[in-house]
Amino acid sequence: MMRKINTIALTALLALMMIIYAVPAGAQTDSEELPEYTGGPAEIRMSWWGNDDRAERTLAVIELFEAAYPDITVIGEPNGGAGDHFQILDTQLAADNAPDVIQFGGNWPDYVQYLEPLNDYLGEQLMIDTPETFDQAALTPATDLDGNLYAVSLGTNTLVLVYNKTMIEAAGVDLPEDNMTWEELIEYGRTLKEALPEGVAPFVDNSMNQANYLSYFYTQQGEPIWTLDDGGTSYATVETAEAWLQMWADMREEGLIPDADTTYTYTEDGPDSSALIAGDAAINLVWSNQVAAYQAATTDELSMTTLPSGGEPAYAIQMSQYLGINNNSANKEAAALFVNFFVTSPEAGAILETNRGVPSSPVVRQSISEQATDIDAAVYHIYDAVADRTVPQGPNLPNDQEFVNELELIGQQVAYGQSSVEQAAADLQALIERLIVK
């Protein structure tokens, strides 16, 4: 029997991170309090993934940082989607040419051998060592079992179902409710399909394009794909893999998701290539910090609801992304100061807003609270709606990027009829078992 997860403390703390906007006494409030740079002229590089909107925001923060630290130049390197980013990063690391500051997701442990431990920078260049400057719970997921901090959280986010409110209202169908079960959501999709224009599917095919959605389903079944139990354990079974794949195959058969050709027209790694934004589907799985970018990409009004309920609690409010420092950097002090500016400067926060999640700095949260949009408010609503079924953020499966890539291939084989659900489930289970011992 898997170990029961105690969710209460972390859930409450993460919820608190969402709603507290009061600035604690002693918090850094302006750039005049930035830590001093003691080195000479230096140039550092920063790489990240994301769309053009994220790139523009990041480059604007770089300009602010360079103004605050005239001796430091930062070269920004946007790498497109997450897959592109990590493929480029892997090549750079192999060639000993990786950036000084690197954006990671929950897969940072796969790169720990390349990362600078940050403990010695705390309270010096990284002013994130007190509750007044940074949520201390946000440090935990990026700290190893020996107490070494390897990355700095850029905020929290969670998965949501984004829907085209304009399209659904035009079809004369009620908007989806929060916390529907899987069965209720699929039945809602059937109602929607009858009312939507010909060629528009109720749902985007999210069967295998989001490892986190798959992981969410496994956790609901009481079978987390990967845990730290006993030094690392998977509870995944082929039966759960088959249940997941069969559910989506049935939805494809009923026309509740687009056909294979339409599905794979889009990469679904952002609004620039999404069936939702293109008008081929009405509901899509999206990270909460991405919703504003999706809204900016369409004149239709979007809104959001929760992932389906059922089974064991599985909803994770988690760290969205991290910044880590290359341990081979020649300018680690400058890199640490840049990371500090990125996550604690109110001026930077006013530019970044919630693009990489709800910030972990209470000072930054206050700086953006007064400019919260309707989308921001809807995100906060989701946090409240799932408060009684959330779990602490679990670890990614080892070799996470390889897992993501292989999932897509397994999904395509089912969608195009080249693999049965039974065979694909066996392949998925074999993939999990191979990656955890690799």
Side-chain angles (χ1 to χ4, degrees):
M1 180 69 70
M2 63 165 287
R3 187 183 65 182
K4 290 290 185 183
I5 302 172
N6 184 350
T7 67
I8 299 175
L10 185 55
T11 298
L13 187 53
L14 289 173
L16 201 61
M17 291 162 63
M18 282 297 308
I19 62 177
I20 292 179
Y21 288 97
V23 182
Q28 176 183 308
T29 57
D30 59 53
S31 297
E32 294 179 358
E33 301 177 21
L34 291 171
E36 182 183 0
Y37 176 51
T38 63
E43 180 178 290
I44 60 175
R45 296 157 51 210
M46 174 199 179
S47 70
W48 67 89
W49 76 85
N51 61 8
D52 291 344
D53 174 65
R54 175 172 295 170
E56 291 172 4
R57 292 172 188 265
T58 304
L59 293 171
V61 170
I62 287 175
E63 287 187 13
L64 277 181
F65 174 78
E66 291 176 332
Y69 292 95
D71 285 338
I72 305 174
T73 299
V74 182
I75 306 299
E77 297 182 3
N79 282 339
D84 298 325
H85 170 74
F86 287 108
Q87 185 174 30
I88 292 170
L89 178 61
D90 290 344
T91 301
Q92 291 173 324
L93 289 169
D96 196 21
N97 185 37
D100 304 84
V101 179
I102 306 167
Q103 180 175 299
F104 292 98
N107 62 342
W108 70 264
D110 290 343
Y111 294 87
V112 69
Q113 67 270 33
Y114 301 108
L115 297 179
E116 173 78 357
L118 302 176
N119 302 54
D120 291 343
Y121 300 87
L122 295 175
E124 300 293 334
Q125 292 81 25
L126 290 176
M127 310 307 289
I128 60 172
D129 57 327
T130 69
E132 289 76 20
T133 56
F134 209 74
D135 297 316
Q136 297 303 286
L139 303 181
T140 302
T143 302
D144 70 4
L145 295 177
D146 295 326
N148 296 312
L149 176 69
Y150 282 103
V152 177
S153 166
L154 299 180
T156 64
N157 68 357
T158 193
L159 287 169
V160 299
L161 293 178
V162 173
Y163 57 84
N164 187 322
K165 183 178 179 183
T166 301
M167 178 186 288
I168 294 174
E169 288 181 337
V173 177
D174 291 339
L175 300 177
E177 298 178 359
D178 294 336
N179 295 317
M180 288 190 289
T181 64
W182 283 100
E183 292 77 15
E184 289 169 339
L185 180 66
I186 292 171
E187 188 59 37
Y188 176 80
R190 293 186 180 112
T191 301
L192 198 54
K193 180 178 182 298
E194 295 301 316
L196 289 173
E198 183 71 22
V200 179
F203 307 108
V204 169
D205 183 350
N206 295 131
S207 58
M208 301 291 267
N209 66 358
Q210 280 276 5
N212 298 84
Y213 207 11
L214 180 77
S215 179
Y216 172 80
F217 181 78
Y218 271 79
T219 302
Q220 284 186 316
Q221 314 313 309
E223 300 177 1
I225 291 179
W226 184 244
T227 72
L228 297 180
D229 293 358
D230 302 323
T233 299
S234 175
Y235 296 94
T237 68
V238 69
E239 288 78 14
T240 294
E242 188 171 329
W244 175 259
L245 289 162
Q246 188 63 59
M247 179 174 67
W248 288 95
D250 291 344
M251 291 170 68
R252 187 177 298 107
E253 180 70 22
E254 287 191 57
L256 301 183
I257 59 176
D259 58 43
D261 285 343
T262 303
T263 290
Y264 295 109
T265 297
Y266 306 101
T267 60
E268 297 298 346
D269 58 358
D272 296 336
S273 181
S274 170
L276 175 77
I277 298 303
D280 285 335
I283 303 174
N284 193 12
L285 182 79
V286 170
W287 286 104
S288 59
N289 64 304
Q290 294 180 311
V291 178
Y294 275 73
Q295 181 59 82
T298 177
T299 56
D300 285 355
E301 183 180 358
L302 305 182
S303 191
M304 65 193 82
T305 187
T306 66
L307 272 59
S309 62
E312 298 287 333
Y315 226 117
I317 295 174
Q318 63 184 47
M319 302 306 148
S320 58
Q321 292 143 27
Y322 302 87
L323 289 182
I325 296 177
N326 184 349
N327 59 14
N328 201 32
S329 169
N331 298 294
K332 295 186 180 70
E333 180 189 1
L337 288 171
F338 178 72
V339 173
N340 181 71
F341 187 86
F342 206 87
V343 300
T344 67
S345 164
E347 293 86 355
I351 293 172
L352 295 169
E353 297 181 306
T354 57
N355 183 270
R356 287 178 169 90
V358 177
S360 298
S361 162
V363 179
V364 174
R365 286 203 296 271
Q366 186 192 45
S367 76
I368 65 175
S369 65
E370 296 176 358
Q371 60 194 59
T373 65
D374 291 343
I375 290 294
D376 292 331
V379 171
Y380 303 158
H381 166 77
I382 294 294
Y383 276 59
D384 291 337
V386 301
D388 62 348
R389 58 187 183 102
T390 55
V391 297
Q393 177 184 0
N396 284 21
L397 189 73
N399 304 291
D400 177 71
Q401 192 57 47
E402 184 175 350
F403 184 51
V404 171
N405 296 339
E406 293 290 328
L407 283 181
E408 188 85 23
L409 295 176
I410 292 173
Q412 287 181 3
Q413 289 171 341
V414 176
Y416 281 107
Q418 298 173 352
S419 179
S420 67
V421 166
E422 293 78 10
Q423 182 58 54
D427 292 343
L428 175 53
Q429 181 66 19
L431 172 65
I432 293 170
E433 293 174 359
R434 175 169 62 83
L435 293 179
I436 63 179
V437 298
K438 187 175 180 180

